[in-house]
Amino acid sequence: MCFQLELSWRAADSVSGIRKYSVLLARDSTGLSSIAGPFVTKHSTEKISGLSLEDGGRLFVIVTANNRAGLSANLTFGQSLWTPASQSFRLKTRSDSQLLVVCWGGSDFQDPESHVLEFEVGVGSRRNSTDIVPYPPVVSAESQERSRAANISSVNSTCAVLRLQELDWNLIGEHTYHVSIRCTNGARLTTTVFAEPMVHTNRLPTQGIVMDEDPDANLENMFGVPHDIRYQLRADTLRSRWSGFKYATSFQTYFTKVSATNALGTVSATSNGVTVESRRAKLGLHPMNVLPPVANETRRYMVEMDFQSSLSTIRVQWTRPRPPLDVIFHTAYWSLERKLTHDWQTVEDFRRVAYNNDTVVLTNLHLKNGSMYRSLLKLCSERVCSEAEATPELMVLHTPPSPSDWSVNLEPDNKTINLNMKEFNQFPSSEKNTISHYQWSLQHDGANILNWTDIDLPSSDIASKSIIIELPWPVRSTKCLQLAVRCFNRAGLSTIDKRQLRDCSAYDPKLIIDPTVTDAIGP
């Protein structure tokens, strides 16, 4: 489950004052088993989002206060997380002419540290939403009074009721409703469980026509389709064709009914039915290669990428199909192909994969540096699968770029550097540009004197490019300084190469002169 945590505390130091706070989330009071952080702040409040916490575990918050004298003190407290005993149970929904009833088992929601649980009902047009009937605002002091509202059940109950007039129940066509229950304990922690999507329609399909066809005839004839027949010679096979049954949605279910008649009467049997998504075989998954969110960063979402450095892992994310296809086609199969010139070669056959939040992580792969890959994804329901959809090409860059020939010239003003360089190399025969950007810095004994600064290379086809770099101050001839150039490839790997501004080993004349220090006595 994904949580948001809001913290506040009080601390004081009347002598030197508080300089900063450090907040650490851990699984134990020692802080050795860290979950997130440390987060540094100057305020006595902190809001932490996107936490992925274990069901039934304990979360310890460790706040460290540092004063201006360099001394620190810790405050540690633990809060039990609560979740249902099992997430596998289902909500049961039923409706009559006026009410929608939602029920659950008495032991489905459990919290050993809270004797009072409050339940609220929400309804949305898609999963994880309550845009049709939102949850009421949670106010702990008024739980008993709020339980009289239409979409709040009584405390510790096992059923809740909604009036159908709140759901636009009489709209023409077919509509899908996602009913959910939000349960809140005494500490105002919540968990949410969704029922299976409830599809409601209030209009019959338009009636089509059904034709009996000769089972031995070709599927196509001079008129396009076989003729409708009244007699046939085979007794073990029947073949039918139908058309014209129009639904309010493209999601259609057909049944086959066979009747046998003799002088005594008629007997019939009907199939279980087959459901057809009639518009297209593709589900519109639009799979893409993604980077994972990074711990301790504000970015909590996936970022699409075309390059990566890993040789063993691929992450693929896709768009969830529209209801009710998202519930029916829920089993994911993945395959991997490698590009060879203009063709694609299968390196991993389709296999069933586990996924979370429409994202699958594939590990223990054996990718090749410099090769391009694409993932194929399809969703299945039993033995029926959608058409496989491919991700954009993904290139593996496992090594940093290789330095090229380049030179520097320090102008007489000792402040202007003329940099002549060829672009660094990495798979020059590749059809993709693998170099991302360049930076420069001034160094002495391997340490930066200036911060890294981006280099804007001219966008010309000339192999050797000339760049003018202006230093913030003239350099002296008392130290051996080097201009460092750092090149990044598009997978984030970098190479640093250096050139001396002056020939530090020259001796006739000597270009690097140690400074002269003279002791003097003042007047």
Side-chain angles (χ1 to χ4, degrees), residues 405-461:
D405 294 331
W406 61 285
S407 62
V408 295
N409 181 41
L410 181 63
E411 300 295 335
D413 62 358
N414 292 328
K415 189 177 180 181
T416 304
I417 299 175
N418 191 344
L419 169 63
N420 289 282
M421 63 174 290
K422 295 181 180 179
E423 292 203 40
F424 285 28
N425 299 316
Q426 187 165 22
F427 306 110
S429 60
S430 171
E431 61 187 47
K432 287 193 173 186
N433 179 21
T434 61
I435 301 301
S436 173
H437 63 283
Y438 298 86
Q439 295 178 330
W440 70 270
S441 178
L442 206 58
Q443 293 188 349
H444 174 60
D445 286 341
N448 280 5
I449 298 176
L450 299 175
N451 293 329
W452 289 105
T453 303
D454 289 336
I455 297 176
D456 294 325
L457 288 181
S459 57
S460 65
D461 296 331

Side-chain angles (χ1 to χ4, degrees), residues 300-312:
R300 302 289 182 183
Y301 51 86
M302 298 289 187
V303 176
E304 184 175 6
M305 63 177 184
D306 299 321
F307 299 84
Q308 73 171 39
S309 59
S310 175
L311 294 176
S312 61

Side-chain angles (χ1 to χ4, degrees), residues 471-489:
L471 299 177
W473 27 254
V475 297
R476 298 180 180 180
S477 58
T478 58
K479 293 182 178 180
C480 182
L481 300 181
Q482 296 176 315
L483 182 74
V485 172
R486 181 164 65 176
C487 174
F488 287 86
N489 66 18

Side-chain angles (χ1 to χ4, degrees), residues 118 120 135-142 146 182 184-185 188-190:
E118 183 179 277
E120 299 161 296
Y135 301 130
V138 178
V139 182
S140 59
E142 302 176 358
R146 291 168 56 246
R182 183 171 72 177
T184 306
N185 69 355
R188 314 316 300 162
L189 299 175
T190 64

Side-chain angles (χ1 to χ4, degrees), residues 55-323:
D55 294 345
R58 291 186 69 88
L59 171 66
F60 288 83
V61 181
I62 304 173
V63 180
T64 303
N66 298 270
N67 65 10
R68 300 186 183 278
L71 302 178
S72 63
N74 293 339
L75 172 64
T76 302
F77 61 93
Q79 170 63 57
S80 290
L81 295 178
W82 79 284
T83 59
S86 171
Q87 291 284 357
S88 61
F89 67 88
R90 293 185 177 182
L91 299 178
K92 298 178 181 179
T93 58
R94 67 177 188 270
S95 62
D96 55 24
S97 60
Q98 296 182 342
L99 299 176
L100 171 67
V101 181
V102 187
C103 294
W104 56 94
S107 61
D108 286 340
F109 293 90
Q110 294 182 1
D111 184 0
E113 297 187 3
S114 180
H115 299 293
V116 177
L117 300 179
E118 183 179 277
F119 300 89
E120 299 161 296
V121 185
V123 182
S125 59
R126 60 190 182 279
R127 186 169 175 82
N128 297 325
S129 72
T130 55
D131 54 328
I132 298 177
V133 178
Y135 301 130
V138 178
V139 182
S140 59
E142 302 176 358
S143 60
Q144 292 290 348
E145 179 65 25
R146 291 168 56 246
S147 65
R148 300 175 186 149
N151 55 335
I152 302 181
S153 72
S154 59
V155 177
N156 287 354
S157 65
T158 57
C159 280
V161 176
L162 278 175
R163 288 186 289 269
L164 292 181
Q165 65 185 18
E166 301 180 53
L167 308 182
D168 296 327
W169 197 253
N170 296 320
L171 289 178
I172 298 297
E174 185 173 270
H175 303 277
T176 301
Y177 297 94
H178 294 263
V179 182
S180 61
I181 291 292
R182 183 171 72 177
C183 182
T184 306
N185 69 355
R188 314 316 300 162
L189 299 175
T190 64
T191 193
T192 304
V193 176
F194 279 82
E196 292 293 329
M198 184 173 60
V199 180
H200 173 67
T201 183
N202 56 12
R203 185 173 64 180
L204 291 172
T206 57
Q207 188 173 8
I209 59 173
V210 181
M211 294 184 295
D212 299 307
E213 297 180 354
D214 184 355
D216 295 323
N218 295 327
L219 291 180
E220 303 294 336
N221 63 14
M222 60 181 298
F223 299 104
V225 295
H227 292 294
D228 185 28
I229 64 173
R230 297 187 62 188
Y231 303 95
Q232 72 177 45
L233 298 177
R234 295 185 58 174
D236 60 341
T237 302
L238 297 174
R239 191 170 80 185
S240 300
R241 182 189 298 267
W242 63 87
S243 63
F245 292 93
K246 299 298 183 181
Y247 283 58
T249 175
S250 64
F251 206 68
Q252 306 174 9
T253 302
Y254 296 95
F255 300 85
T256 300
K257 182 179 180 180
V258 177
S259 299
T261 304
N262 65 8
L264 296 179
T266 301
V267 294
S268 301
T270 304
S271 69
N272 293 329
V274 59
T275 302
V276 179
E277 161 47 43
S278 62
R279 291 183 182 176
R280 57 184 182 272
K282 286 187 177 180
L283 294 179
L285 303 177
H286 308 296
M288 61 182 181
N289 307 299
V290 293
L291 283 170
V294 180
N296 300 334
E297 284 193 5
T298 57
R299 176 175 64 85
R300 302 289 182 183
Y301 51 86
M302 298 289 187
V303 176
E304 184 175 6
M305 63 177 184
D306 299 321
F307 299 84
Q308 73 171 39
S309 59
S310 175
L311 294 176
S312 61
T313 301
I314 284 180
R315 293 173 176 84
V316 177
Q317 187 179 61
W318 62 89
T319 302
R320 180 174 297 179
R322 66 188 182 280

Side-chain angles (χ1 to χ4, degrees), residues 486-516:
R486 181 164 65 176
C487 174
F488 287 86
N489 66 18
R490 298 185 68 181
L493 303 181
S494 64
T495 296
I496 297 178
D497 202 19
K498 306 173 185 179
R499 297 289 187 274
Q500 295 177 355
L501 291 184
R502 298 186 179 95
D503 187 355
C504 301
S505 60
Y507 62 91
D508 188 16
K510 191 174 184 181
L511 301 180
I512 304 299
I513 303 173
D514 294 332
T516 301

